[in-house]
Amino acid sequence: MDISKLLQAKSLPEALQILVELFQNTQFSKAGSVQIEADTGNYFFSLDKGLQLLDSLSNPDLKIVAKESVILDLLKGKLAPPLALVLGKVKLFGDKSLMVQIKELLK
């Protein structure tokens, strides 16, 4: 998978749009909904038959709380998820296997 566009993303909305394009035809092994709560706003998406952005979400399966710059570093592979958790840069609430699934696809 060519993630070179993702590496050039300068904002979280831009990175999420690139992820939608990259994974539009991907069948995820586990479906779920994700909320990212960043310092720049809230972002919502679902994983099922592709990755789809959502306008809102009342009860996400996974909630990720972090600064936008940290989320971008995670998506670009500049920061390892375990290290981000240990350092307290990211907080996860709910089904953490969804985060693992996303990270595996970006390898």
Side-chain angles (χ1 to χ4, degrees), residues 10-75:
K10 294 185 179 12
S11 70
L12 189 50
E14 180 184 1
L16 290 174
Q17 189 58 50
I18 292 167
L19 288 176
V20 168
E21 292 169 14
L22 287 172
F23 301 126
Q24 64 185 342
N25 296 317
T26 300
Q27 178 64 51
F28 289 91
S29 58
K30 183 172 186 176
S33 58
V34 179
Q35 174 185 356
I36 297 175
E37 184 180 303
D39 53 330
T40 56
N42 286 292
Y43 306 92
F44 311 95
F45 59 93
S46 67
L47 305 172
D48 190 9
K49 295 177 183 168
L51 188 149
Q52 299 173 338
L53 295 178
L54 305 170
D55 292 329
S56 64
L57 192 58
S58 61
N59 216 1
D61 297 308
L62 173 65
K63 182 177 180 181
I64 302 168
V65 180
K67 290 183 177 180
E68 179 178 9
S69 60
V70 171
I71 298 291
L72 285 171
D73 285 347
L74 287 167
L75 292 173

Side-chain angles (χ1 to χ4, degrees), residues 73-103:
D73 285 347
L74 287 167
L75 292 173
K76 294 177 181 184
K78 294 180 179 181
L79 179 62
L83 180 60
L85 288 167
V86 169
L87 294 175
K89 293 183 176 223
V90 174
K91 293 180 182 167
L92 301 177
F93 303 94
D95 188 352
K96 295 163 186 63
S97 69
L98 294 173
M99 179 72 172
V100 172
Q101 186 173 231
I102 295 166
K103 188 62 184 160

